[in-house]
Amino acid sequence: MQVALQVAGVAVQAAGVLVLYLHWRAKGGLGGVAVVAGWVMIAAGGAPWLLAVSAERGLAIAMLTPMTMGLALLAPDALARFENRGKRKPERTGETLEPDASAPGRTSRNMARWIGALIAAPAFALASAAAWQAWGPGNVVDRVAFSIFALMLAWTAALLWVLSAPRPWRAAAVTTLGALALGGGAYLFVSSGAV
C-alpha cells in the first residue's frame, strides 16, 4: 500500500510540474488557480515519502521528481538553443523589461517591489520558519534545521512573486498578510503551551 501511495505521489508531483509548465508556456498564463494547484500538487505528492521515511530523507526524495520532471520539460528548448548558438539573432532596440515603462504608476510599482523585497518577503520567510518550528514534524533539532530550509524556500518564492508580478502592490499585500497569518498563528500556538 505504501509503495502504491509513493508511486501515486510521484504521478501527482509530475502532474503539478506539468500544470506549472503549461501555465508558463500559455500566452497570458492559465490564471492564479492553476499556479496554486500546481504547487499544491507538488507538495501533496511528496507527503507519502515524508510519512514513509524520516523527514530529511523523505524531503530529499520527494523533491527529486519535480526537479527531474522540470528538466525533462525544459530539455527540448535547451537543446534547440544549444543547436542555434552559432547563429546571431537580430539586435532588439527600444524594448524595456516593463512594456509600459513610461506609463503612469511606474514609480508606485517600483516602490511596491522595493517594499515587497525588503519588508514583505523577509517577514514571510521568518514567519514560515517560525511556523515550521511550531507545527513541523520531528523533534526540536529537526524542526529547527528544517525551519532554515523553510525560510530559504519561502524567501525565494516570495521574492520571485513580488518582483515578477504585474501588480506588485497586490503581491506585497498578500505576502504581508501571509506573514502575519503564519507568524501570528505560530506565536499563539507556542504561547498557548502546546509545544
Side-chain angles (χ1 to χ4, degrees):
M1 179 66 179
Q2 190 64 42
V3 174
L5 284 174
Q6 290 167 350
V7 172
V10 168
V12 169
Q13 283 187 317
V17 174
L18 182 61
V19 168
L20 293 175
Y21 176 76
L22 293 175
H23 169 75
W24 175 56
R25 293 301 295 251
K27 188 174 183 178
L30 301 176
V33 175
V35 176
V36 172
W39 283 110
V40 167
M41 291 166 74
I42 290 173
W49 293 104
L50 291 170
L51 297 174
V53 294
S54 60
E56 63 276 6
R57 189 178 302 171
L59 189 62
I61 295 173
M63 291 301 105
L64 287 175
T65 300
M67 289 188 292
T68 307
M69 182 72 176
L71 290 174
L73 287 171
L74 295 176
D77 286 340
L79 290 174
R81 290 181 184 177
F82 181 76
E83 291 170 358
N84 297 331
R85 66 181 177 175
K87 301 176 184 176
R88 276 191 83 169
K89 295 182 181 178
E91 293 184 7
R92 297 179 179 178
T93 57
E95 291 187 0
T96 60
L97 292 176
E98 193 172 41
D100 54 348
S102 61
R106 178 183 177 200
T107 303
S108 174
R109 288 191 300 276
N110 286 337
M111 285 177 53
R113 291 185 181 108
W114 276 100
I115 291 171
L118 296 177
I119 298 173
F124 181 73
L126 291 171
S128 299
W132 188 277
Q133 288 186 28
W135 295 306
N139 56 33
V140 176
V141 175
D142 288 341
R143 289 203 303 266
V144 170
F146 275 101
S147 70
I148 298 169
F149 177 76
L151 181 141
M152 292 186 294
L153 194 65
W155 202 333
T156 303
L159 278 176
L160 285 173
W161 186 35
V162 167
L163 295 177
S164 65
R167 295 178 177 169
W169 278 116
R170 179 184 296 178
V174 171
T175 304
T176 304
L177 289 175
L180 290 172
L182 280 174
Y187 173 75
L188 290 175
F189 185 75
V190 171
S191 62
S192 66
V195 177

